[in-house]
Amino acid sequence: MAYMVTPSVVLSFGGRSVEVPSFSAFAELQEKAEAEFDLHPNSYDFFDVCGKVELSALQRVVRMAGDGPCQLELRERPEWKKLRELEARIEDVASRQTAASSTSQPTTETAEAGVVTQVESALSHLLAGLADVETKVNCSLAPLVQSMALSQIDIKAKLGSIDEIVLASRLDSLQEQIASLRAAPAAQQDIPACKLDL
């Protein structure tokens, strides 16, 4: 949306102010704010005394300023503010490390020796942990697994012997029935007739 050339606008952010003598579009005002205060696009909002100033309300806010400059405050969005604080912390830590390294000037060999020491310490800690686990397995799990395996072998043997006993008993019973049927006379037995009611 294009605006007529307006009276000056004073932008303020973080205790600093800059005057924009005139602007013809909202985007032009945003570019000026981003360049002057080193802000990322869409990382801030414009506010006046009544609250947040949207694009649609900018012309009204400028007209309400009258003959004097229009006062607009830039407020960084919370996520961008946190990001800026983190960047400042990182730069602070980096500058401290640079200052510390320039005063002590550790050699590459010293740094390598420190890394090697840390790696060796970590490896010895890891090996101790592995030995601990191996001891636990040998002392607790191995006897349990062995006991379960022996128990399973015993159960399988018992089931096998039960099957053999049952089959032998059934075979004996069938042989007795066959022998009794052969010994019985081949006389035909009378089967009583059934009467069906229809």
Side-chain angles (χ1 to χ4, degrees), residues 85-122:
E85 289 170 2
L86 286 173
E87 285 176 348
R89 276 191 193 160
I90 291 169
E91 288 174 7
D92 183 46
V93 168
S95 67
R96 278 194 242 152
Q97 285 181 345
T98 304
S101 67
S102 65
T103 58
S104 64
Q105 290 296 327
T107 63
T108 305
E109 295 164 358
T110 308
E112 286 177 3
V115 169
V116 168
T117 304
Q118 288 177 347
V119 168
E120 287 174 349
S121 171

PDB file of all heavy atoms in Angstrom, residues 85-122:
ATOM      1  N   GLU A  85      19.928 -12.702  22.689  1.00  0.00           N
ATOM      2  CA  GLU A  85      20.629 -12.902  23.953  1.00  0.00           C
ATOM      3  C   GLU A  85      21.608 -14.074  23.857  1.00  0.00           C
ATOM      4  O   GLU A  85      22.729 -14.004  24.371  1.00  0.00           O
ATOM      5  CB  GLU A  85      19.621 -13.155  25.085  1.00  0.00           C
ATOM      6  CG  GLU A  85      18.830 -11.927  25.476  1.00  0.00           C
ATOM      7  CD  GLU A  85      17.682 -12.250  26.428  1.00  0.00           C
ATOM      8  OE1 GLU A  85      17.514 -13.430  26.820  1.00  0.00           O
ATOM      9  OE2 GLU A  85      16.934 -11.320  26.780  1.00  0.00           O
ATOM     10  N   LEU A  86      21.178 -15.151  23.203  1.00  0.00           N
ATOM     11  CA  LEU A  86      22.060 -16.306  23.022  1.00  0.00           C
ATOM     12  C   LEU A  86      23.278 -15.945  22.172  1.00  0.00           C
ATOM     13  O   LEU A  86      24.401 -16.362  22.465  1.00  0.00           O
ATOM     14  CB  LEU A  86      21.297 -17.475  22.390  1.00  0.00           C
ATOM     15  CG  LEU A  86      20.322 -18.195  23.305  1.00  0.00           C
ATOM     16  CD1 LEU A  86      19.513 -19.219  22.519  1.00  0.00           C
ATOM     17  CD2 LEU A  86      21.043 -18.877  24.444  1.00  0.00           C
ATOM     18  N   GLU A  87      23.052 -15.176  21.115  1.00  0.00           N
ATOM     19  CA  GLU A  87      24.167 -14.739  20.276  1.00  0.00           C
ATOM     20  C   GLU A  87      25.164 -13.913  21.093  1.00  0.00           C
ATOM     21  O   GLU A  87      26.378 -14.077  20.956  1.00  0.00           O
ATOM     22  CB  GLU A  87      23.656 -13.915  19.082  1.00  0.00           C
ATOM     23  CG  GLU A  87      23.015 -14.738  18.002  1.00  0.00           C
ATOM     24  CD  GLU A  87      22.427 -13.885  16.881  1.00  0.00           C
ATOM     25  OE1 GLU A  87      22.304 -12.647  17.039  1.00  0.00           O
ATOM     26  OE2 GLU A  87      22.083 -14.468  15.844  1.00  0.00           O
ATOM     27  N   ALA A  88      24.643 -13.035  21.947  1.00  0.00           N
ATOM     28  CA  ALA A  88      25.520 -12.203  22.785  1.00  0.00           C
ATOM     29  C   ALA A  88      26.324 -13.074  23.743  1.00  0.00           C
ATOM     30  O   ALA A  88      27.525 -12.854  23.944  1.00  0.00           O
ATOM     31  CB  ALA A  88      24.687 -11.181  23.557  1.00  0.00           C
ATOM     32  N   ARG A  89      25.671 -14.091  24.319  1.00  0.00           N
ATOM     33  CA  ARG A  89      26.390 -15.007  25.220  1.00  0.00           C
ATOM     34  C   ARG A  89      27.494 -15.757  24.489  1.00  0.00           C
ATOM     35  O   ARG A  89      28.607 -15.900  25.003  1.00  0.00           O
ATOM     36  CB  ARG A  89      25.425 -16.034  25.805  1.00  0.00           C
ATOM     37  CG  ARG A  89      24.678 -15.588  26.988  1.00  0.00           C
ATOM     38  CD  ARG A  89      24.003 -16.808  27.563  1.00  0.00           C
ATOM     39  NE  ARG A  89      23.001 -16.516  28.532  1.00  0.00           N
ATOM     40  CZ  ARG A  89      22.052 -17.359  28.868  1.00  0.00           C
ATOM     41  NH1 ARG A  89      21.979 -18.524  28.286  1.00  0.00           N
ATOM     42  NH2 ARG A  89      21.191 -17.060  29.798  1.00  0.00           N
ATOM     43  N   ILE A  90      27.165 -16.257  23.310  1.00  0.00           N
ATOM     44  CA  ILE A  90      28.148 -17.003  22.522  1.00  0.00           C
ATOM     45  C   ILE A  90      29.339 -16.121  22.183  1.00  0.00           C
ATOM     46  O   ILE A  90      30.490 -16.533  22.309  1.00  0.00           O
ATOM     47  CB  ILE A  90      27.499 -17.584  21.240  1.00  0.00           C
ATOM     48  CG1 ILE A  90      26.523 -18.693  21.619  1.00  0.00           C
ATOM     49  CG2 ILE A  90      28.549 -18.088  20.268  1.00  0.00           C
ATOM     50  CD1 ILE A  90      25.646 -19.165  20.483  1.00  0.00           C
ATOM     51  N   GLU A  91      29.064 -14.885  21.766  1.00  0.00           N
ATOM     52  CA  GLU A  91      30.156 -13.958  21.452  1.00  0.00           C
ATOM     53  C   GLU A  91      30.998 -13.664  22.691  1.00  0.00           C
ATOM     54  O   GLU A  91      32.225 -13.576  22.606  1.00  0.00           O
ATOM     55  CB  GLU A  91      29.586 -12.673  20.862  1.00  0.00           C
ATOM     56  CG  GLU A  91      29.051 -12.848  19.452  1.00  0.00           C
ATOM     57  CD  GLU A  91      28.346 -11.603  18.929  1.00  0.00           C
ATOM     58  OE1 GLU A  91      28.378 -10.549  19.615  1.00  0.00           O
ATOM     59  OE2 GLU A  91      27.765 -11.696  17.843  1.00  0.00           O
ATOM     60  N   ASP A  92      30.339 -13.546  23.847  1.00  0.00           N
ATOM     61  CA  ASP A  92      31.055 -13.290  25.094  1.00  0.00           C
ATOM     62  C   ASP A  92      31.974 -14.462  25.441  1.00  0.00           C
ATOM     63  O   ASP A  92      33.144 -14.267  25.779  1.00  0.00           O
ATOM     64  CB  ASP A  92      30.052 -13.032  26.227  1.00  0.00           C
ATOM     65  CG  ASP A  92      30.742 -12.689  27.532  1.00  0.00           C
ATOM     66  OD1 ASP A  92      31.674 -11.849  27.507  1.00  0.00           O
ATOM     67  OD2 ASP A  92      30.350 -13.257  28.577  1.00  0.00           O
ATOM     68  N   VAL A  93      31.452 -15.674  25.354  1.00  0.00           N
ATOM     69  CA  VAL A  93      32.258 -16.867  25.649  1.00  0.00           C
ATOM     70  C   VAL A  93      33.415 -16.980  24.661  1.00  0.00           C
ATOM     71  O   VAL A  93      34.553 -17.268  25.042  1.00  0.00           O
ATOM     72  CB  VAL A  93      31.382 -18.142  25.617  1.00  0.00           C
ATOM     73  CG1 VAL A  93      32.225 -19.401  25.625  1.00  0.00           C
ATOM     74  CG2 VAL A  93      30.424 -18.142  26.793  1.00  0.00           C
ATOM     75  N   ALA A  94      33.128 -16.736  23.383  1.00  0.00           N
ATOM     76  CA  ALA A  94      34.180 -16.821  22.365  1.00  0.00           C
ATOM     77  C   ALA A  94      35.267 -15.788  22.619  1.00  0.00           C
ATOM     78  O   ALA A  94      36.463 -16.085  22.484  1.00  0.00           O
ATOM     79  CB  ALA A  94      33.585 -16.635  20.980  1.00  0.00           C
ATOM     80  N   SER A  95      34.884 -14.585  23.017  1.00  0.00           N
ATOM     81  CA  SER A  95      35.897 -13.548  23.274  1.00  0.00           C
ATOM     82  C   SER A  95      36.727 -13.896  24.508  1.00  0.00           C
ATOM     83  O   SER A  95      37.934 -13.663  24.527  1.00  0.00           O
ATOM     84  CB  SER A  95      35.244 -12.179  23.428  1.00  0.00           C
ATOM     85  OG  SER A  95      34.455 -12.140  24.600  1.00  0.00           O
ATOM     86  N   ARG A  96      36.076 -14.490  25.533  1.00  0.00           N
ATOM     87  CA  ARG A  96      36.833 -14.916  26.714  1.00  0.00           C
ATOM     88  C   ARG A  96      37.823 -16.022  26.366  1.00  0.00           C
ATOM     89  O   ARG A  96      38.949 -16.025  26.846  1.00  0.00           O
ATOM     90  CB  ARG A  96      35.888 -15.391  27.810  1.00  0.00           C
ATOM     91  CG  ARG A  96      35.319 -14.245  28.613  1.00  0.00           C
ATOM     92  CD  ARG A  96      34.678 -14.751  29.881  1.00  0.00           C
ATOM     93  NE  ARG A  96      33.267 -14.411  29.818  1.00  0.00           N
ATOM     94  CZ  ARG A  96      32.306 -15.076  30.416  1.00  0.00           C
ATOM     95  NH1 ARG A  96      32.569 -16.137  31.117  1.00  0.00           N
ATOM     96  NH2 ARG A  96      31.065 -14.672  30.323  1.00  0.00           N
ATOM     97  N   GLN A  97      37.386 -16.968  25.539  1.00  0.00           N
ATOM     98  CA  GLN A  97      38.283 -18.057  25.145  1.00  0.00           C
ATOM     99  C   GLN A  97      39.442 -17.544  24.311  1.00  0.00           C
ATOM    100  O   GLN A  97      40.574 -17.990  24.463  1.00  0.00           O
ATOM    101  CB  GLN A  97      37.514 -19.130  24.367  1.00  0.00           C
ATOM    102  CG  GLN A  97      36.647 -19.988  25.247  1.00  0.00           C
ATOM    103  CD  GLN A  97      35.906 -21.062  24.462  1.00  0.00           C
ATOM    104  OE1 GLN A  97      35.821 -20.995  23.244  1.00  0.00           O
ATOM    105  NE2 GLN A  97      35.375 -22.034  25.174  1.00  0.00           N
ATOM    106  N   THR A  98      39.156 -16.578  23.435  1.00  0.00           N
ATOM    107  CA  THR A  98      40.215 -15.988  22.621  1.00  0.00           C
ATOM    108  C   THR A  98      41.224 -15.281  23.523  1.00  0.00           C
ATOM    109  O   THR A  98      42.433 -15.412  23.335  1.00  0.00           O
ATOM    110  CB  THR A  98      39.623 -14.995  21.604  1.00  0.00           C
ATOM    111  OG1 THR A  98      38.650 -15.682  20.815  1.00  0.00           O
ATOM    112  CG2 THR A  98      40.679 -14.412  20.710  1.00  0.00           C
ATOM    113  N   ALA A  99      40.713 -14.539  24.515  1.00  0.00           N
ATOM    114  CA  ALA A  99      41.604 -13.833  25.437  1.00  0.00           C
ATOM    115  C   ALA A  99      42.428 -14.828  26.252  1.00  0.00           C
ATOM    116  O   ALA A  99      43.626 -14.644  26.448  1.00  0.00           O
ATOM    117  CB  ALA A  99      40.797 -12.928  26.368  1.00  0.00           C
ATOM    118  N   ALA A 100      41.801 -15.897  26.708  1.00  0.00           N
ATOM    119  CA  ALA A 100      42.514 -16.902  27.505  1.00  0.00           C
ATOM    120  C   ALA A 100      43.558 -17.626  26.665  1.00  0.00           C
ATOM    121  O   ALA A 100      44.661 -17.904  27.125  1.00  0.00           O
ATOM    122  CB  ALA A 100      41.530 -17.901  28.099  1.00  0.00           C
ATOM    123  N   SER A 101      43.207 -17.922  25.416  1.00  0.00           N
ATOM    124  CA  SER A 101      44.161 -18.648  24.566  1.00  0.00           C
ATOM    125  C   SER A 101      45.331 -17.758  24.156  1.00  0.00           C
ATOM    126  O   SER A 101      46.444 -18.232  23.981  1.00  0.00           O
ATOM    127  CB  SER A 101      43.462 -19.211  23.331  1.00  0.00           C
ATOM    128  OG  SER A 101      43.038 -18.164  22.488  1.00  0.00           O
ATOM    129  N   SER A 102      45.089 -16.459  24.027  1.00  0.00           N
ATOM    130  CA  SER A 102      46.194 -15.587  23.637  1.00  0.00           C
ATOM    131  C   SER A 102      47.173 -15.387  24.806  1.00  0.00           C
ATOM    132  O   SER A 102      48.355 -15.152  24.585  1.00  0.00           O
ATOM    133  CB  SER A 102      45.666 -14.237  23.150  1.00  0.00           C
ATOM    134  OG  SER A 102      45.034 -13.561  24.219  1.00  0.00           O
ATOM    135  N   THR A 103      46.681 -15.488  26.038  1.00  0.00           N
ATOM    136  CA  THR A 103      47.580 -15.314  27.181  1.00  0.00           C
ATOM    137  C   THR A 103      48.357 -16.578  27.496  1.00  0.00           C
ATOM    138  O   THR A 103      49.517 -16.520  27.863  1.00  0.00           O
ATOM    139  CB  THR A 103      46.804 -14.865  28.436  1.00  0.00           C
ATOM    140  OG1 THR A 103      45.809 -15.844  28.733  1.00  0.00           O
ATOM    141  CG2 THR A 103      46.176 -13.514  28.233  1.00  0.00           C
ATOM    142  N   SER A 104      47.718 -17.743  27.352  1.00  0.00           N
ATOM    143  CA  SER A 104      48.415 -18.976  27.723  1.00  0.00           C
ATOM    144  C   SER A 104      49.094 -19.654  26.531  1.00  0.00           C
ATOM    145  O   SER A 104      50.052 -20.395  26.712  1.00  0.00           O
ATOM    146  CB  SER A 104      47.438 -19.946  28.391  1.00  0.00           C
ATOM    147  OG  SER A 104      46.440 -20.337  27.461  1.00  0.00           O
ATOM    148  N   GLN A 105      48.610 -19.464  25.346  1.00  0.00           N
ATOM    149  CA  GLN A 105      49.181 -20.041  24.120  1.00  0.00           C
ATOM    150  C   GLN A 105      49.493 -21.537  24.258  1.00  0.00           C
ATOM    151  O   GLN A 105      50.639 -21.962  24.171  1.00  0.00           O
ATOM    152  CB  GLN A 105      50.465 -19.301  23.708  1.00  0.00           C
ATOM    153  CG  GLN A 105      50.260 -17.896  23.205  1.00  0.00           C
ATOM    154  CD  GLN A 105      49.456 -17.853  21.930  1.00  0.00           C
ATOM    155  OE1 GLN A 105      49.534 -18.736  21.108  1.00  0.00           O
ATOM    156  NE2 GLN A 105      48.678 -16.806  21.766  1.00  0.00           N
ATOM    157  N   PRO A 106      48.468 -22.383  24.517  1.00  0.00           N
ATOM    158  CA  PRO A 106      48.746 -23.819  24.614  1.00  0.00           C
ATOM    159  C   PRO A 106      49.151 -24.360  23.241  1.00  0.00           C
ATOM    160  O   PRO A 106      48.654 -23.928  22.220  1.00  0.00           O
ATOM    161  CB  PRO A 106      47.408 -24.405  25.064  1.00  0.00           C
ATOM    162  CG  PRO A 106      46.375 -23.446  24.594  1.00  0.00           C
ATOM    163  CD  PRO A 106      47.048 -22.092  24.631  1.00  0.00           C
ATOM    164  N   THR A 107      50.063 -25.295  23.273  1.00  0.00           N
ATOM    165  CA  THR A 107      50.524 -25.873  22.019  1.00  0.00           C
ATOM    166  C   THR A 107      49.563 -26.946  21.569  1.00  0.00           C
ATOM    167  O   THR A 107      48.752 -27.450  22.346  1.00  0.00           O
ATOM    168  CB  THR A 107      51.926 -26.488  22.197  1.00  0.00           C
ATOM    169  OG1 THR A 107      51.808 -27.551  23.150  1.00  0.00           O
ATOM    170  CG2 THR A 107      52.927 -25.464  22.677  1.00  0.00           C
ATOM    171  N   THR A 108      49.675 -27.308  20.324  1.00  0.00           N
ATOM    172  CA  THR A 108      48.834 -28.360  19.760  1.00  0.00           C
ATOM    173  C   THR A 108      49.103 -29.679  20.464  1.00  0.00           C
ATOM    174  O   THR A 108      48.184 -30.454  20.720  1.00  0.00           O
ATOM    175  CB  THR A 108      49.113 -28.496  18.246  1.00  0.00           C
ATOM    176  OG1 THR A 108      48.934 -27.220  17.641  1.00  0.00           O
ATOM    177  CG2 THR A 108      48.185 -29.483  17.613  1.00  0.00           C
ATOM    178  N   GLU A 109      50.349 -29.919  20.797  1.00  0.00           N
ATOM    179  CA  GLU A 109      50.707 -31.169  21.475  1.00  0.00           C
ATOM    180  C   GLU A 109      50.041 -31.253  22.840  1.00  0.00           C
ATOM    181  O   GLU A 109      49.559 -32.311  23.244  1.00  0.00           O
ATOM    182  CB  GLU A 109      52.223 -31.277  21.615  1.00  0.00           C
ATOM    183  CG  GLU A 109      52.939 -31.381  20.276  1.00  0.00           C
ATOM    184  CD  GLU A 109      54.423 -31.097  20.372  1.00  0.00           C
ATOM    185  OE1 GLU A 109      54.905 -30.778  21.470  1.00  0.00           O
ATOM    186  OE2 GLU A 109      55.086 -31.185  19.337  1.00  0.00           O
ATOM    187  N   THR A 110      49.985 -30.148  23.557  1.00  0.00           N
ATOM    188  CA  THR A 110      49.342 -30.130  24.866  1.00  0.00           C
ATOM    189  C   THR A 110      47.854 -30.417  24.724  1.00  0.00           C
ATOM    190  O   THR A 110      47.286 -31.184  25.507  1.00  0.00           O
ATOM    191  CB  THR A 110      49.552 -28.770  25.555  1.00  0.00           C
ATOM    192  OG1 THR A 110      50.935 -28.456  25.558  1.00  0.00           O
ATOM    193  CG2 THR A 110      49.008 -28.768  26.964  1.00  0.00           C
ATOM    194  N   ALA A 111      47.244 -29.799  23.737  1.00  0.00           N
ATOM    195  CA  ALA A 111      45.817 -30.021  23.490  1.00  0.00           C
ATOM    196  C   ALA A 111      45.567 -31.474  23.104  1.00  0.00           C
ATOM    197  O   ALA A 111      44.615 -32.095  23.584  1.00  0.00           O
ATOM    198  CB  ALA A 111      45.322 -29.090  22.397  1.00  0.00           C
ATOM    199  N   GLU A 112      46.421 -32.032  22.240  1.00  0.00           N
ATOM    200  CA  GLU A 112      46.271 -33.431  21.831  1.00  0.00           C
ATOM    201  C   GLU A 112      46.439 -34.361  23.029  1.00  0.00           C
ATOM    202  O   GLU A 112      45.706 -35.335  23.178  1.00  0.00           O
ATOM    203  CB  GLU A 112      47.288 -33.784  20.751  1.00  0.00           C
ATOM    204  CG  GLU A 112      46.955 -33.211  19.396  1.00  0.00           C
ATOM    205  CD  GLU A 112      48.030 -33.517  18.352  1.00  0.00           C
ATOM    206  OE1 GLU A 112      49.009 -34.220  18.665  1.00  0.00           O
ATOM    207  OE2 GLU A 112      47.869 -33.051  17.219  1.00  0.00           O
ATOM    208  N   ALA A 113      47.404 -34.057  23.871  1.00  0.00           N
ATOM    209  CA  ALA A 113      47.635 -34.879  25.060  1.00  0.00           C
ATOM    210  C   ALA A 113      46.409 -34.849  25.972  1.00  0.00           C
ATOM    211  O   ALA A 113      46.012 -35.878  26.539  1.00  0.00           O
ATOM    212  CB  ALA A 113      48.867 -34.397  25.817  1.00  0.00           C
ATOM    213  N   GLY A 114      45.785 -33.701  26.101  1.00  0.00           N
ATOM    214  CA  GLY A 114      44.575 -33.583  26.917  1.00  0.00           C
ATOM    215  C   GLY A 114      43.432 -34.411  26.340  1.00  0.00           C
ATOM    216  O   GLY A 114      42.714 -35.100  27.069  1.00  0.00           O
ATOM    217  N   VAL A 115      43.292 -34.362  25.028  1.00  0.00           N
ATOM    218  CA  VAL A 115      42.238 -35.142  24.363  1.00  0.00           C
ATOM    219  C   VAL A 115      42.513 -36.638  24.534  1.00  0.00           C
ATOM    220  O   VAL A 115      41.610 -37.424  24.847  1.00  0.00           O
ATOM    221  CB  VAL A 115      42.123 -34.757  22.873  1.00  0.00           C
ATOM    222  CG1 VAL A 115      41.233 -35.732  22.128  1.00  0.00           C
ATOM    223  CG2 VAL A 115      41.605 -33.341  22.722  1.00  0.00           C
ATOM    224  N   VAL A 116      43.759 -37.039  24.332  1.00  0.00           N
ATOM    225  CA  VAL A 116      44.122 -38.453  24.482  1.00  0.00           C
ATOM    226  C   VAL A 116      43.847 -38.924  25.905  1.00  0.00           C
ATOM    227  O   VAL A 116      43.308 -40.013  26.127  1.00  0.00           O
ATOM    228  CB  VAL A 116      45.605 -38.674  24.093  1.00  0.00           C
ATOM    229  CG1 VAL A 116      46.088 -40.047  24.506  1.00  0.00           C
ATOM    230  CG2 VAL A 116      45.787 -38.478  22.591  1.00  0.00           C
ATOM    231  N   THR A 117      44.177 -38.112  26.886  1.00  0.00           N
ATOM    232  CA  THR A 117      43.925 -38.460  28.285  1.00  0.00           C
ATOM    233  C   THR A 117      42.434 -38.640  28.538  1.00  0.00           C
ATOM    234  O   THR A 117      42.015 -39.595  29.197  1.00  0.00           O
ATOM    235  CB  THR A 117      44.495 -37.374  29.221  1.00  0.00           C
ATOM    236  OG1 THR A 117      45.881 -37.207  28.946  1.00  0.00           O
ATOM    237  CG2 THR A 117      44.284 -37.714  30.671  1.00  0.00           C
ATOM    238  N   GLN A 118      41.627 -37.733  28.004  1.00  0.00           N
ATOM    239  CA  GLN A 118      40.174 -37.829  28.183  1.00  0.00           C
ATOM    240  C   GLN A 118      39.625 -39.085  27.507  1.00  0.00           C
ATOM    241  O   GLN A 118      38.765 -39.766  28.067  1.00  0.00           O
ATOM    242  CB  GLN A 118      39.479 -36.589  27.630  1.00  0.00           C
ATOM    243  CG  GLN A 118      39.686 -35.359  28.480  1.00  0.00           C
ATOM    244  CD  GLN A 118      39.038 -34.123  27.868  1.00  0.00           C
ATOM    245  OE1 GLN A 118      38.633 -34.125  26.715  1.00  0.00           O
ATOM    246  NE2 GLN A 118      38.953 -33.058  28.664  1.00  0.00           N
ATOM    247  N   VAL A 119      40.116 -39.399  26.314  1.00  0.00           N
ATOM    248  CA  VAL A 119      39.651 -40.588  25.594  1.00  0.00           C
ATOM    249  C   VAL A 119      40.043 -41.851  26.361  1.00  0.00           C
ATOM    250  O   VAL A 119      39.247 -42.777  26.517  1.00  0.00           O
ATOM    251  CB  VAL A 119      40.195 -40.608  24.151  1.00  0.00           C
ATOM    252  CG1 VAL A 119      39.966 -41.949  23.493  1.00  0.00           C
ATOM    253  CG2 VAL A 119      39.563 -39.495  23.328  1.00  0.00           C
ATOM    254  N   GLU A 120      41.287 -41.895  26.849  1.00  0.00           N
ATOM    255  CA  GLU A 120      41.738 -43.061  27.611  1.00  0.00           C
ATOM    256  C   GLU A 120      40.911 -43.232  28.881  1.00  0.00           C
ATOM    257  O   GLU A 120      40.549 -44.350  29.256  1.00  0.00           O
ATOM    258  CB  GLU A 120      43.225 -42.930  27.949  1.00  0.00           C
ATOM    259  CG  GLU A 120      44.140 -43.142  26.760  1.00  0.00           C
ATOM    260  CD  GLU A 120      45.602 -42.866  27.078  1.00  0.00           C
ATOM    261  OE1 GLU A 120      45.905 -42.308  28.157  1.00  0.00           O
ATOM    262  OE2 GLU A 120      46.443 -43.208  26.226  1.00  0.00           O
ATOM    263  N   SER A 121      40.608 -42.142  29.544  1.00  0.00           N
ATOM    264  CA  SER A 121      39.793 -42.197  30.755  1.00  0.00           C
ATOM    265  C   SER A 121      38.397 -42.734  30.439  1.00  0.00           C
ATOM    266  O   SER A 121      37.872 -43.587  31.151  1.00  0.00           O
ATOM    267  CB  SER A 121      39.697 -40.808  31.381  1.00  0.00           C
ATOM    268  OG  SER A 121      38.762 -40.792  32.418  1.00  0.00           O
ATOM    269  N   ALA A 122      37.828 -42.251  29.354  1.00  0.00           N
ATOM    270  CA  ALA A 122      36.490 -42.717  28.950  1.00  0.00           C
ATOM    271  C   ALA A 122      36.517 -44.195  28.593  1.00  0.00           C
ATOM    272  O   ALA A 122      35.610 -44.953  28.959  1.00  0.00           O
ATOM    273  CB  ALA A 122      35.975 -41.887  27.780  1.00  0.00           C
TER     274      ALA A 122
END
